[in-house]
Amino acid sequence: MTILITGGAGFIGANFVLDWLAQSSEAVINLDKLTYAGNLETLASLQGDARHIFVQGDIGDSALVDGLLARHRPRAVLNFAAESHVDRSIHSPEDFIQTNIVGTFRLLEAVRAYWNELEGEAKAAFRFLHVSTDEVYGSLGAADPAFTEDHRYEPNSPYSASKAASDHLVRAYHHTYGLPVLTTNCSNNYGPCHFPEKLIPLMIVNALASKALPVYGDGMQVRDWLYVKDHCSAIRRVLEAGRLGEVYNVGGWNEKPNIEIVNTVCALLDELRPKVDARSYSTQISYVKDRPGHDRRYAIDAGKIERELAWRPAETFESGIRKTVQWYLANPEWVAHVQSGAYRDWVQTQYASV
Ligand code: NAD
Ligand code: TYD
């Protein structure tokens, strides 16, 4: 048995591949374009492991995807591939439209053709799982209830709008063609191997480099944080037992304002890697101009996945953020290669045959 995952060299996809292969003998075909966000160094421990087949390519390349499906006959396709950074989507939305919308559409078409040809048990068991975000629901007021799966779609950034469009396509392929789809909408993830353009890894990396810690606006925007391994376990659970055509919100009931996150990171660094002058890393905090259209609050009601699939996160925010800071402290090479751009040479130096 085999699964095909897309975007498996990115933050969540790579964590998913590592967790999957730590728990299962089932092979993974990993299709990733290796944009700036794709980092095969994260998967270095899988070198020589025949269960991990990496293919560099675009989910929008129909011929490539058709060929992979025909050759490897996966029992499931999990779509992690996306352009994922809100700030980049504000500066240059085009890639977000291409990958998140057109790419997902082409992937769905390829998967539909493949699934149509399956028969019997293989057809009944096949799944297409689409990994999405809580950002499609828009922004909450301070007193609003958390997002349920029935919340209106009100995306506010080019990123969230493109993810919303992809969610709608996935839904339509189930409704119209009967494609056996599952969708997860997860809150903000954090954890090991997170590209340091997102809040938590950026703060850790900048703090250690004695750089400013840029907090947008008043720092009181609220995000709901989930440790990445808990997101991975939720995806495995939805794949295993999710009801066809259903959407599952995934979150850790962990709402926190950004400034609290930054102060927590600083306090952990003060404890684990005190500065030579004994001052707190929080002295590096710098309030900067706000992000245009900045969503004020996200919060996930994870009641459905808890009730129906008995999924629960294993980490509290306190345990997860400590593990995360410890991981960055223990992996300065990974960080240095990301910062220097050397991680992009990894394919040539380590995967010459792919
Ligand atoms: P990421 O940016 O770290 O990784 C994305 C990966 O997709 C990269 O390896 C990149 O090379 C690859 N990719 C991009 N375009 C591609 C294309 N056209 N074809 C093939 N591969 C391509 O993103 P992430 O944080 O790991 O997010 C993964 C998924 O989870 C995304 O769909 C994102 O919307 C969703 N999500 C992320 C979060 C979060 O907090 N990071 C939360 C909820 C949902
Ligand atoms: P980010 O990690 O980019 O995730 P998202 O925008 O998808 O939620 O940002 C998380 C929050 O942190 C968001 O409210 C924007 C804020 N932020 C900062 O204040 N400073 C920063 O340098 C970054 C990257 C984000």
Side-chain angles (χ1 to χ4, degrees), residues 41 196 205 208 327-329 331-341:
E41 216 169 319
V205 166
L208 293 171
W327 187 89
Y328 279 86
L329 289 173
N331 290 277
E333 265 206 2
W334 185 95
V335 173
H337 288 176
V338 166
Q339 287 179 312
S340 71

Side-chain angles (χ1 to χ4, degrees), residues 208-220:
L208 293 171
S210 303
K211 291 187 182 160
L213 308 181
V215 173
Y216 298 162
D218 63 1
M220 289 306 291

Side-chain angles (χ1 to χ4, degrees), residues 141-316:
D144 291 339
F147 301 128
T148 66
E149 290 78 2
D150 299 325
H151 197 278
R152 267 179 69 169
Y153 269 43
E154 292 177 323
N156 290 320
S157 72
Y159 164 65
S160 55
S162 66
K163 289 297 291 187
S166 69
D167 292 8
H168 289 322
L169 284 167
V170 170
R171 177 190 155 88
Y173 271 62
H174 177 67
H175 193 80
T176 305
Y177 305 113
L179 193 71
V181 308
L182 299 156
T183 299
T184 55
N185 291 86
C186 189
S187 59
N188 282 61
N189 284 213
Y190 67 98
C193 314
H194 203 179
F195 196 81
E197 63 181 351
K198 307 278 171 71
L199 180 71
I200 290 178
L202 183 76
M203 294 301 145
I204 299 171
V205 166
N206 275 13
L208 293 171
S210 303
K211 291 187 182 160
L213 308 181
V215 173
Y216 298 162
D218 63 1
M220 289 306 291
Q221 299 82 9
V222 171
R223 297 292 182 266
D224 190 346
W225 295 93
L226 184 71
Y227 191 62
V228 63
K229 304 283 181 189
D230 283 325
H231 187 188
C232 295
S233 75
I235 292 169
R236 288 197 304 273
R237 185 72 192 124
V238 171
L239 180 65
E240 180 180 59
R243 285 187 292 129
L244 291 188
E246 290 290 316
V247 172
Y248 294 90
N249 282 356
V250 183
W253 307 98
N254 248 317
E255 286 184 60
K256 301 210 182 287
N258 293 337
I259 189 63
E260 190 180 324
I261 297 288
V262 178
N263 278 320
T264 302
V265 166
C266 290
L268 279 166
L269 287 172
D270 289 342
E271 175 198 327
L272 299 168
R273 183 68 57 84
K275 282 167 60 132
V276 277
D277 63 7
R279 296 178 75 209
S280 171
Y281 287 95
S282 58
T283 56
Q284 291 168 226
I285 291 173
S286 161
Y287 287 90
V288 299
K289 192 162 141 304
D290 208 352
R291 169 188 282 172
H294 199 170
D295 284 339
R296 194 68 183 166
R297 175 177 166 238
Y298 304 141
I300 277 279
D301 180 334
K304 179 176 174 182
I305 190 172
E306 291 180 357
R307 276 190 313 276
E308 290 191 11
L309 304 181
W311 172 84
R312 292 270 185 300
E315 302 291 341
T316 62

